[in-house]
Amino acid sequence: MPPNERLRSALLTAGITVRQLAEEIGVDPKTVERWVSTGRTPHPGIAHRAAAVLREDLAHLWPAIEQGRRRSRGSGELVTAYPTRSSAPLDMWRTLFERAEQRIGILVYAANFLHESWPDFNELLAAKARQGCRVRVLLGDADSPIIRGRGAEERFGHGIESRCRVALMHYRPLAMSSGVELRVHATTLYNSLFVGDDHMIVNAHVYGMNAYGAPVYHLRRMHDEGLFDVYAASFEAVWEQSRLPGEDE
């Protein structure tokens, strides 16, 4: 099970350590550590006490406990949010892809920060593909007027076109890997999407702002037709309009 990032964030915000929380609610510190590191769900009564100490909503910390009470669309799917991409921990991205077993999806214009942060990123994706994971990568078409327009909006000049070309250079070796599908698109990108099985990182796009300065949301699919599925559908829509690199439009 994935870590409980909401609980980890609540502890940091409250300035309370794992041991301190354990003492307050009368459980072993290793039990609280497992709640954080493995995502285990505590008994409802203990969970209520923990939420009270942390001054957090129980349903926010452990959505499964109150899933029957809160079934509105999209509730509980937001794991955590960051005001900017640059403020989100780098390990969050790496973990998303390392834990994926069935599907990996990347919908961006460039997002060169992945290869810049991890020189072995291609090896990671290729290894996942060999293990049976479907890997799909969608990059911006550097020759598209949409890309040029985005550069003008962000006052980035031709920089974004160059970054799209660099991104294609990074990913192109993967085109020969079985299980990896690489395409380019010329759509207006409202959000960059990074998918690993039932987890997704959404990098929102803000008019006139480079993506690294825009908010990031970590979503976890909880049920049909929720927030996750809304964004997943947009990935599929762009995929249907994409083409192979070098293929005539």
Side-chain angles (χ1 to χ4, degrees):
M1 296 176 66
N4 188 331
E5 297 295 345
R6 295 182 182 183
L7 179 56
R8 191 194 308 277
S9 177
L11 286 164
L12 290 172
T13 300
I16 296 175
T17 66
V18 166
R19 181 171 294 278
Q20 288 170 333
L21 178 60
E23 291 175 353
E24 286 280 348
I25 61 179
V27 300
D28 189 282
K30 291 182 179 179
T31 298
V32 177
E33 180 57 42
R34 283 193 289 270
W35 296 348
V36 176
S37 62
T38 69
R40 289 191 182 182
T41 300
H43 184 277
I46 297 175
H48 275 286
R49 294 204 299 271
V53 171
L54 295 171
R55 297 184 179 181
E56 283 282 357
D57 181 12
L58 171 66
H60 172 74
L61 296 176
W62 293 287
I65 293 178
E66 294 198 355
Q67 192 171 8
R69 187 172 68 85
R70 295 190 175 189
R71 293 296 296 175
S72 60
R73 177 177 292 189
S75 68
E77 290 192 290
L78 179 62
V79 177
T80 188
Y82 298 93
T84 64
R85 191 183 77 194
S86 58
S87 66
L90 285 174
D91 283 349
M92 176 180 69
W93 310 83
R94 183 84 179 194
T95 300
L96 178 82
F97 300 119
E98 286 183 337
R99 293 187 173 178
E101 297 180 349
Q102 298 178 340
R103 60 173 172 173
I104 287 175
I106 299 173
L107 168 57
V108 297
Y109 277 153
N112 288 308
F113 74 94
L114 292 172
H115 284 91
E116 292 166 355
S117 301
W118 298 288
D120 65 339
F121 189 60
N122 273 9
E123 285 73 14
L124 188 158
L125 296 181
K128 285 295 177 180
R130 288 194 298 271
Q131 294 164 11
C133 183
R134 186 186 185 188
V135 179
R136 292 187 291 173
V137 179
L138 281 162
L139 303 175
D141 181 353
D143 296 320
S144 165
I146 294 292
I147 299 294
R148 292 195 294 272
R150 178 59 66 89
E153 292 169 359
E154 297 179 358
R155 299 182 291 280
F156 206 48
H158 296 289
I160 191 168
E161 298 162 47
S162 298
R163 291 188 69 78
C164 286
R165 297 185 196 283
V166 170
L168 184 58
M169 178 187 71
H170 281 312
Y171 284 102
R172 193 179 287 279
L174 284 172
M176 303 301 294
S177 300
S178 177
V180 178
E181 301 169 82
L182 174 63
R183 295 187 183 182
V184 294
H185 69 96
T187 62
T188 300
L189 196 59
Y190 299 103
N191 300 278
S192 294
L193 305 179
F194 307 84
V195 183
D197 289 347
D198 285 346
H199 284 259
M200 179 187 298
I201 298 173
V202 179
N203 186 184
H205 288 193
V206 178
Y207 182 83
M209 179 183 293
N210 190 279
Y212 68 78
V216 162
Y217 310 104
H218 178 186
L219 303 179
R220 180 184 180 186
R221 190 177 191 276
M222 302 295 290
H223 48 78
D224 293 342
E225 299 182 351
L227 290 175
F228 184 103
D229 285 358
V230 169
Y231 285 110
S234 72
F235 184 103
E236 297 300 331
V238 176
W239 183 260
E240 290 300 317
Q241 300 179 51
S242 64
R243 60 184 179 82
L244 295 173
E247 185 180 69
D248 292 335
E249 295 185 66

